[in-house]
Amino acid sequence: MRGDLGSPILPEVVVAPSPKVLIVEDNPLNMKMFAALIASRGYGVLEARDGLTGLDLAREARPQLIIMDLDLPGISGLAATRALKSDHQTRDIPILLTTATAAAEHDREVRDCGYDAFLPKPISITSFLAMVDAFLALAGGEDQGSP
Ligand code: MN
């Protein structure tokens, strides 16, 4: 219901929800570090500790970015990435694949799974945050960059 004509009109404030990042990672220390880094940028964090939970969360919550570990219990990060990239509802969500097996980047199966960026562990914090920021800017957060 509208207020009386005499009452002050409140400005309509539209608060854009902060972008959400889904972390799919079974190593508790890595999860803690990724979550802290992402939260430090003001982004929302969703956590999954296995591949199937990661798939479910990606479909339900539609994050703007997924940090995907390669070696996961249940279905692997490779299978989860393939599944997300072959589903039209989730294929546009960028996936940053991480693994301690740096050589995996050259593995043909890994190269073909559809990931958007690859970051070997131990990660460089600077590179990690730069990638996260870049993907979220592409997702529509670029207006936050203007002074
Ligand atoms: Mn793992």
Side-chain angles (χ1 to χ4, degrees):
M1 223 167 77
R2 289 171 191 275
D4 298 329
L5 284 175
S7 62
I9 297 166
L10 296 173
E12 196 176 312
V13 181
V14 179
V15 180
S18 43
K20 289 168 290 191
V21 179
L22 168 62
I23 308 166
V24 190
E25 171 65 68
D26 60 325
N27 178 294
L29 287 179
N30 285 336
M31 176 65 91
K32 212 171 171 179
M33 178 187 60
F34 288 145
L37 288 172
I38 288 163
S40 78
R41 283 292 213 260
Y43 306 131
V45 174
L46 300 162
E47 300 183 6
R49 284 166 181 78
D50 64 82
L52 266 187
T53 307
L55 277 183
D56 287 345
L57 264 180
R59 288 170 175 150
E60 280 166 27
R62 304 294 181 81
Q64 279 68 42
L65 173 66
I66 300 172
I67 312 297
M68 181 76 77
D69 181 32
L70 195 55
D71 299 302
L72 291 166
I75 70 166
S76 70
L78 194 65
T81 299
R82 275 200 215 104
L84 291 168
K85 290 299 184 180
S86 61
D87 180 342
H88 72 278
Q89 291 193 302
T90 51
R91 71 187 328 153
D92 293 332
I93 306 173
I95 297 182
L96 174 48
L97 196 65
T98 69
T99 175
T101 315
E105 190 179 9
H106 307 292
D107 181 285
R108 191 186 173 135
E109 263 201 313
V110 172
R111 279 203 333 247
D112 293 346
C113 76
Y115 70 82
D116 296 87
F118 183 90
L119 198 59
K121 291 177 203 157
I123 61 150
S124 144
I125 288 176
T126 312
S127 306
F128 176 77
L129 286 175
M131 282 186 183
V132 169
D133 283 341
F135 278 120
L136 294 180
L138 288 174
E142 60 272 333
D143 54 314
Q144 294 173 353
S146 38

